[in-house]
Amino acid sequence: MISYLNGTVILKNAGSVVIDVQGVGYKVFLAPQNLQDFKVGEAGAVFCFLYVKEDRMELYGFKTEEQLKMFEVLNTISGVGPKASLALSSLGSIEDFQKAIKERNEQFFAGTKGIGKKKIQKIIVELTGKLDDFALPGKDLETDEAVYALVRLGFPAFVARTALQEVSPKVKDVQQRIKEALKLLGKR
């Protein structure tokens, strides 16, 4: 799977760029907000999602890992294809999405090509709860290394936090807190 490209932009079209990586050109679809940052002849790097269909393979590119992860979540929603997911994923940060979902803010999604009022309502319903555990490196979890470590081990953030709340407050060492939380999680 192709998950990251770094090379020279050799062609720019409406909605996509071609990035030359050691003599091989990759066509990568980008959201308009990201497309404007790429210039022909300059270096370009993108996180990628390889979309495979029986009749085609397409690469969708993102400037940040956060946008890629948001795209992957949006792309799981029935009726929202990769092109719409691409446009939606660049609307804002994960925190922006969480706020919009919590407040049921349909205006946040309005104006996205191919997404009408009913689809927006479906997106809000489908994303409710899906973004609660969304954890990325460098975000608020960084303040608690133990939560971050448990999330990286595959536990949902809320499960990690709950387990760590049950660990004695006397345990201050991060590694020890993780061990104690794992013991508690193993008993469940």
Side-chain angles (χ1 to χ4, degrees), residues 143-147 150 160-161 163-184:
T143 58
D144 190 341
E145 292 178 52
V147 174
L150 291 170
R161 283 189 199 98
L164 286 164
Q165 287 171 351
E166 295 175 25
V167 172
S168 170
K170 294 177 185 175
V171 179
K172 299 290 184 199
D173 179 58
V174 174
Q175 290 181 349
Q176 194 58 41
R177 291 182 71 215
I178 294 168
K179 287 179 184 176
E180 294 298 319
L182 286 170
K183 286 179 188 174
L184 291 168

Side-chain angles (χ1 to χ4, degrees), residues 1 11 18-19 21 37 59 65 76 88 92 94 99-100 105 121 130 132-133 139 141 155 175 178 181:
M1 169 136 37
L11 186 63
V18 176
I19 298 177
V21 180
D37 295 336
L59 277 174
E65 185 181 11
T76 64
L88 288 166
I94 289 172
K99 183 178 179 193
N105 180 2
Q121 292 169 343
K130 278 190 177 180
D132 293 345
D133 316 340
K139 296 294 178 193
L141 291 182
F155 294 99
Q175 290 181 349
I178 294 168

